[in-house]
Amino acid sequence: MIKRKLSLLIILPLLMATVSSVVNFVSPDQANAYLTGFKAGNIMSDYTMGNKNTMSEAQIQAFLKSKNHCNDRDRAKYDRYTAAGYTYNWKDGRFVCMADEIFGANGMPAASGKSAARIIWEASQEFSINPQVLIVLLHKEQGLITDTWPNYRQYQTATGFGCPDTAPCDSQYYGLTNQIRLAAKLFRDVLNGGWSNYPAYSTVYVRYSPDASCGGSNVYIENRATSALYRYTPYQPNAGALAAGTGTAHCGAYGNRNFYNYFTDWFGNTQSSRWSKMLYPRIMAINQNTLKVYADSMELDDSWLNVGQQIMFESKTDLGDGRACLRTRFDTENNNPRCVLLQRLDEFTPQFSMINNDADKLFATTQWTCKVNINNISALCSEPVGENIVVTMAASTDIMGTTYYITKHDWDLGIRDKGIMSERLRTGYNYQVIQQIPMKASSATAKYIPGTDIVKQTISIDLEMLFLSRITINGEYFYRTAHDTGYNSNLVIPGDKLSPNFSAFLFPRNLKTNKATVSRNVLDNQICSNVARDTTLFFDSTIKIGNINHFRTRIDASKDSLCAIDANDLSEV
């Protein structure tokens, strides 16, 4: 296991030395410019680290040759260090650099085998790691990209894999092939959510140096690529190391600083992303049972998505082979590199169920809420709906396990993409249609939202109104005017503030029943008394209920009784 990675191993005169960083592969001015973008919690994006398609094998080889003239002909130097016990490859009158070397099965220089470019490319493809990352790793650990006279020991520990702080490098990991493959595998393991002592999406203490007395600071690790870099090299540069560019500073550690420096200098921004926002984020439906794909490695997730399942998608990528892959809102928000192949998805069209029973159309809001765009489940808080507002609904639809209701107002306007979540609603009040009845306010009152104390319009005393519907709330009647009923307005007046508006007869007189009949309460239609045929009574007032006149006796009027007899059941005496 890697406990620490030294930033650079180089050959110094007369000895092999392990140093933090001495060689300037970029100018100090360049380094300071690049380091202005260094962020300890986000050294590199996941996509940049996992993009295996940045370079072909030929491009890798061309890059290696562009950075190293491979033309060191200092034979005296070769003889001197060979005599000191170091091994080099000398051919055609010059040192063989890594770009021109051939590596055998053990990952060391040999007469036949593979080039470094081939080894880098194969590891990048096998583990879906950016070959540029592996190139930079080789350089920041051993300077192999520009080293014109590399020593065999540099190839043994080319990426520093298996070289802990507290012990010599482990020989079982020796060789360029091992070193590159194992480094790529470690990066891939962490990118796939594997173990790291500096886990992504958490705040951890990162030291400034192998020397604990140099201190450190808490760092929020923003992604898995940065987590992988800290697992490999568990130190961050302090302010002095950053200010030094490519130089040294007190208590400095330079591995991750140099990694960032070299990558930025050679390949550009470390923060590229494979994901782009969908132009129209929306819900789509799974058209066949499928698994999510890890976009970087092409590995399959282990959780099945079932045909017909509705999922919200927000971002997308191209897998590099022409196939589009969409990422869910959940995975987008959590920066998970998983997606669903576009060919496994169908456009989703909501299916609406009409609400045909008038008694079922009323709902009251349980809290202040917003309408929702049902195509992408986003809140439309420019259209808020207050608490305890009674709303008339026209249709409903089920989306991703939640029912949404479409208001009658929106439905009538042809609007089909705005709904209110069922969790924000309770069943509204059922209005009872009554025969039109004239009433007046018996005291100053107001129109209210049903079941609330929300006043919408004040009503003056003795104002006469026609009423056509009512609701019962906690056993009390609330009446709705014929006008508000016609416009489906949810404004009512308490029944105890109203009285039927009887009109006085121009000529009070006796009338006789022409059949057995009853006297009824004009508000609730309850029977007040039975009246036999040919009964003569004195009447002095009338009220029209619907289209039928009802006459009230003087006795009932004196009692403010609401009982009256259907005028069709009465005849002149």
Side-chain angles (χ1 to χ4, degrees):
M1 183 197 319
I2 294 175
K3 299 180 182 177
R4 174 183 67 87
K5 285 311 314 108
L6 299 175
S7 63
L8 181 64
L9 292 175
I10 62 173
I11 306 300
L12 296 177
L14 302 179
L15 77 163
M16 173 79 80
T18 299
V19 298
S20 297
S21 180
V22 177
V23 178
N24 289 326
F25 294 105
V26 295
S27 72
D29 288 341
Q30 284 178 305
N32 287 326
Y34 299 139
L35 286 169
T36 58
F38 181 87
K39 187 177 182 182
N42 187 358
I43 301 171
M44 172 172 278
S45 72
D46 292 352
Y47 176 61
T48 302
M49 178 172 280
N51 185 4
K52 68 179 182 180
N53 297 313
T54 58
M55 303 176 81
S56 66
E57 179 183 348
Q59 289 171 325
I60 295 171
Q61 179 62 26
F63 177 83
L64 296 179
K65 291 294 291 184
S66 72
K67 292 299 177 184
N68 195 338
H69 56 77
C70 299
N71 197 33
D72 192 331
R73 298 180 179 276
D74 189 341
R75 179 70 191 195
K77 181 168 58 178
Y78 169 81
D79 292 338
R80 184 165 66 253
Y81 288 108
T82 299
Y86 299 102
T87 305
Y88 300 87
N89 189 4
W90 179 274
K91 186 178 180 181
D92 299 329
R94 61 180 179 175
F95 286 97
V96 179
C97 69
M98 187 181 73
D100 290 343
E101 190 63 83
I102 298 298
F103 296 89
N106 63 354
M108 297 301 289
S112 63
K114 298 176 181 179
S115 68
R118 180 71 181 178
I119 293 169
I120 292 169
W121 184 81
E122 286 182 343
S124 74
Q125 300 306 297
E126 180 180 359
F127 298 105
S128 291
I129 292 297
N130 189 342
Q132 297 167 344
V133 168
L134 301 177
I135 289 170
V136 169
L137 185 65
L138 287 168
H139 195 59
K140 74 104 168 173
E141 292 293 341
Q142 292 286 2
L144 282 167
I145 305 305
T146 59
D147 195 340
T148 61
W149 56 295
N151 184 279
Y152 278 30
R153 295 186 188 180
Q154 290 170 265
Y155 294 135
Q156 287 179 340
T157 56
T159 66
F161 190 94
C163 295
D165 286 337
T166 56
C169 295
D170 193 330
S171 61
Q172 68 174 313
Y173 305 125
Y174 280 1
L176 186 73
T177 306
N178 267 345
Q179 288 284 297
I180 292 175
R181 288 189 72 261
L182 291 170
K185 182 178 184 302
L186 182 148
F187 289 150
R188 172 47 54 196
D189 287 345
V190 179
L191 285 178
N192 284 353
W195 179 85
S196 173
N197 45 347
Y198 296 85
Y201 321 120
S202 65
T203 299
V204 294
Y205 185 78
V206 183
R207 284 160 50 175
Y208 291 131
S209 166
D211 184 350
S213 66
C214 289
S217 69
N218 289 326
V219 175
Y220 179 74
I221 309 300
E222 296 183 19
N223 53 43
R224 291 174 176 173
T226 301
S227 172
L229 290 172
Y230 279 123
R231 180 179 169 186
Y232 211 92
T233 305
Y235 309 112
Q236 61 169 315
N238 59 18
L242 290 173
T246 57
T248 61
H250 176 65
C251 279
Y254 314 102
N256 283 314
R257 180 200 72 176
N258 287 352
F259 180 93
Y260 179 88
N261 245 346
Y262 302 147
F263 192 97
T264 305
D265 179 34
W266 289 344
F267 304 115
N269 194 347
T270 66
Q271 296 303 313
S272 58
S273 173
R274 76 174 303 135
W275 304 101
S276 59
K277 292 290 289 183
M278 291 170 59
L279 183 60
Y280 299 107
R282 60 195 183 277
I283 297 168
M284 302 187 77
I286 304 296
N287 61 28
Q288 58 182 284
N289 294 343
T290 189
L291 294 169
K292 291 181 181 179
V293 176
Y294 283 95
D296 294 329
S297 67
M298 297 301 292
E299 294 179 0
L300 297 177
D301 195 10
D302 57 2
S303 298
W304 282 99
L305 302 176
N306 299 318
V307 62
Q309 188 173 344
Q310 302 161 10
I311 303 175
M312 177 64 202
F313 292 90
E314 285 199 344
S315 55
K316 63 182 180 178
T317 190
D318 188 312
L319 295 180
D321 54 7
R323 292 183 298 169
C325 203
L326 306 189
R327 187 163 63 160
T328 69
R329 172 175 286 174
F330 175 84
D331 286 332
T332 298
E333 291 176 348
N334 290 278
N335 201 29
N336 292 326
R338 304 176 300 182
C339 55
V340 181
L341 291 172
L342 180 60
Q343 65 208 60
R344 301 286 191 269
L345 300 170
D346 285 336
E347 295 294 331
F348 171 69
T349 302
Q351 301 298 310
F352 296 102
S353 298
M354 300 302 298
I355 304 174
N356 296 314
N357 187 343
D358 288 341
D360 295 331
K361 290 183 177 180
L362 284 176
F363 292 81
T365 54
T366 59
Q367 62 192 83
W368 187 98
T369 188
C370 297
K371 289 183 180 179
V372 173
N373 185 323
I374 62 175
N375 292 324
N376 57 26
I377 314 302
S378 60
L380 300 171
C381 288
S382 60
E383 301 184 45
V385 184
E387 185 176 1
N388 292 322
I389 300 299
V390 175
V391 185
T392 303
M393 301 299 177
S396 66
T397 183
D398 293 328
I399 300 174
M400 295 171 59
T402 297
T403 299
Y404 294 86
Y405 286 90
I406 313 298
T407 67
K408 184 178 185 301
H409 176 269
D410 286 342
W411 191 268
D412 289 345
L413 292 175
I415 297 171
R416 302 292 187 265
D417 59 355
K418 296 177 182 179
I420 300 177
M421 294 176 62
S422 59
E423 288 87 346
R424 302 286 191 266
L425 299 168
R426 57 181 169 82
T427 303
Y429 303 110
N430 296 327
Y431 284 91
Q432 176 190 1
V433 177
I434 60 175
Q435 294 189 72
Q436 184 169 284
I437 181 170
M439 289 194 282
K440 64 182 179 180
S442 57
S443 60
T445 184
K447 290 184 179 180
Y448 295 85
I449 298 295
T452 76
D453 295 323
I454 301 174
V455 175
K456 290 296 184 179
Q457 180 184 342
T458 58
I459 303 295
S460 60
I461 190 171
D462 289 331
L463 178 65
E464 182 176 337
M465 296 161 283
L466 294 176
F467 293 86
L468 195 56
S469 59
R470 68 186 178 191
I471 57 176
T472 304
I473 302 175
N474 296 326
E476 297 181 12
Y477 286 131
F478 291 78
Y479 288 83
R480 188 166 63 164
T481 67
H483 176 272
D484 288 336
T485 300
Y487 282 91
N488 206 25
S489 169
N490 289 299
L491 297 177
V492 295
I493 300 174
D496 62 358
K497 302 295 184 182
L498 298 170
S499 62
N501 192 24
F502 284 88
S503 299
F505 272 9
L506 182 61
F507 299 104
R509 61 196 182 277
N510 284 317
L511 296 171
K512 181 174 65 174
T513 58
N514 56 33
K515 65 178 181 179
T517 186
V518 295
S519 172
R520 293 180 183 274
N521 186 304
V522 297
L523 287 185
D524 61 18
N525 209 36
Q526 296 297 309
I527 295 175
C528 299
S529 63
N530 294 306
V531 183
R533 181 175 179 170
D534 294 328
T535 300
T536 300
L537 299 168
F538 190 84
F539 295 87
D540 70 354
S541 54
T542 180
I543 190 170
K544 182 175 282 188
I545 308 298
N547 294 317
I548 301 175
N549 288 315
H550 289 70
F551 295 163
R552 184 170 64 169
T553 68
R554 177 169 286 178
I555 292 175
D556 284 332
S558 67
K559 299 175 181 178
D560 285 328
S561 170
L562 301 181
C563 298
I565 298 174
D566 187 334
N568 292 317
D569 295 341
L570 299 169
S571 300
E572 294 289 336
V573 174

